Amino acid sequence: MSTTAIAGPATAAETGATPSKKRALPYRTISWAVPVLLLLTWELLARAGVIAPNVLPAPSSVGTTAWHLTETGELPRHLWESLKRAAVGLAIGASVGLVLGVLTGFSKLFEAIIDRNIQIVRAIPFLAILPLVMVWFGVGESGRYFLVALGTLFPIYLNTVLGIRQVDPKLLEMGRVAGLSKFDIVRVVILPGALPSILLGLRLALTNAWLALVIAETVGAPAGIGFMATNAREFLQTDVIVLVIVLYALIGLTTDLIARGLERRLLAWHPNYAPSGGRK
């Protein structure tokens, strides 16, 4: 028997050959290619007559409608009104939710006073509370701000409480051993430790803001993309309805990307959010 057969096959290091690297799948490219492929399929089916225009118009038809409404200035006006309502409502709801969440997270007394009431109100569907909101605020802007603020308050509140309660006790003990005051422990240990959960609540609040705005703008709103959808429904303008849906999707995607960027910036110290970390 030969010595080569006894020694076995030579390794890549012994022969000087470089081991082949496993090629990583282009996940980011795939994530964008799939929606584009779906749009192309939708366009082809619509042009072939498989999908009736009054049921679901082709993307090209929706794009033409968007261009026409942009030229007339109607689409920018409605879009601006919706963005303004969402921003004001989100600012109010997020601020109130953050304050209540911090109070509940740090104090058993405030938890007893606040938490159960928050949970009761959170369980009430938006459509159930809408008539009461109209009685309180009428059909003015205050009611729409209130609905958006109410929808964004809950995810911020819940995630703030959760983030504070889930801070590692070992970090708290380390802060006490290091001689930090209670204020410094809150500032240096607890709030940074709760920040990932709070920012997750912000992402959920951005989604809830648009869900609440859809309901708010379908009742007595003189402008806004929700008003566009309601008006288009009355005149059976399917292309405008689809355009509004696409706008909601694009706005939601854009705000989520902004929130992710904020996460990466504020949590650069966190191993899961660092550029070389496990999350990309």
Side-chain angles (χ1 to χ4, degrees):
M1 184 179 293
S2 65
T3 55
T4 305
I6 297 175
T11 62
E14 292 171 347
T15 58
T18 57
S20 59
K21 292 184 178 179
K22 185 178 179 181
R23 294 185 62 185
L25 288 174
Y27 294 113
R28 184 177 295 273
T29 303
I30 293 173
S31 68
W32 288 105
V34 172
V36 172
L37 183 60
L38 290 175
L39 283 175
L40 291 175
T41 304
W42 174 12
E43 179 74 28
L44 292 174
L45 291 176
R47 288 182 177 272
V50 177
I51 303 176
N54 61 336
V55 174
L56 192 62
S60 58
S61 176
V62 177
T64 302
T65 302
W67 179 258
H68 172 70
L69 292 175
T70 302
E71 283 187 326
T72 60
E74 186 176 354
L75 182 58
R77 179 172 65 88
H78 290 300
L79 187 57
W80 166 249
E81 289 295 328
S82 292
L83 289 173
K84 181 179 68 175
R85 290 168 185 147
V88 173
L90 177 65
I92 297 172
S95 301
V96 175
L98 183 63
V99 171
L100 294 180
V102 169
L103 292 175
T104 301
F106 282 111
S107 170
K108 291 291 185 181
L109 174 62
F110 279 107
E111 180 183 9
I113 296 172
I114 296 171
D115 188 67
R116 194 169 302 279
N117 297 305
I118 291 287
Q119 302 303 333
I120 291 172
V121 176
R122 187 172 71 92
I124 302 174
F126 263 58
L127 291 177
I129 203 174
L130 184 60
L132 187 59
V133 172
M134 294 180 65
V135 171
W136 287 346
F137 299 100
V139 293
E141 292 297 313
S142 301
R144 299 182 189 96
Y145 295 149
F146 175 81
L147 283 173
V148 176
L150 190 65
T152 56
L153 182 152
F154 302 126
I156 295 289
Y157 168 81
L158 292 173
N159 281 275
T160 300
V161 175
L162 180 65
I164 292 173
R165 297 282 172 85
Q166 286 188 337
V167 173
D168 193 344
K170 294 179 181 178
L171 294 177
L172 300 178
E173 185 62 28
M174 189 182 300
R176 296 188 187 98
V177 171
L180 295 178
S181 64
K182 289 185 177 180
F183 176 78
D184 287 333
I185 289 176
V186 171
R187 182 178 60 87
V188 177
V189 179
I190 297 179
L191 290 182
L195 193 56
S197 183
I198 295 173
L199 291 176
L200 175 60
L202 177 61
R203 289 178 61 186
L204 296 174
L206 287 168
T207 302
N208 281 12
W210 291 102
L211 293 175
L213 192 63
V214 170
I215 298 172
E217 288 187 338
T218 54
V219 182
I225 52 181
F227 165 79
M228 286 179 61
T230 304
N231 197 46
R233 181 193 64 193
E234 298 295 330
F235 294 98
L236 300 177
Q237 297 173 318
T238 315
D239 53 346
V240 177
I241 296 174
V242 174
L243 173 61
V244 170
I245 294 172
V246 171
L247 284 175
Y248 278 127
L250 291 176
I251 292 170
L253 177 63
T254 302
T255 52
D256 189 66
L257 289 174
I258 293 173
R260 284 174 178 267
L262 189 63
E263 281 184 343
R264 287 192 294 269
R265 183 176 181 84
L266 295 179
L267 300 175
W269 53 271
H270 199 289
N272 290 336
Y273 295 86
S276 59
R279 177 175 167 172
K280 296 181 181 179

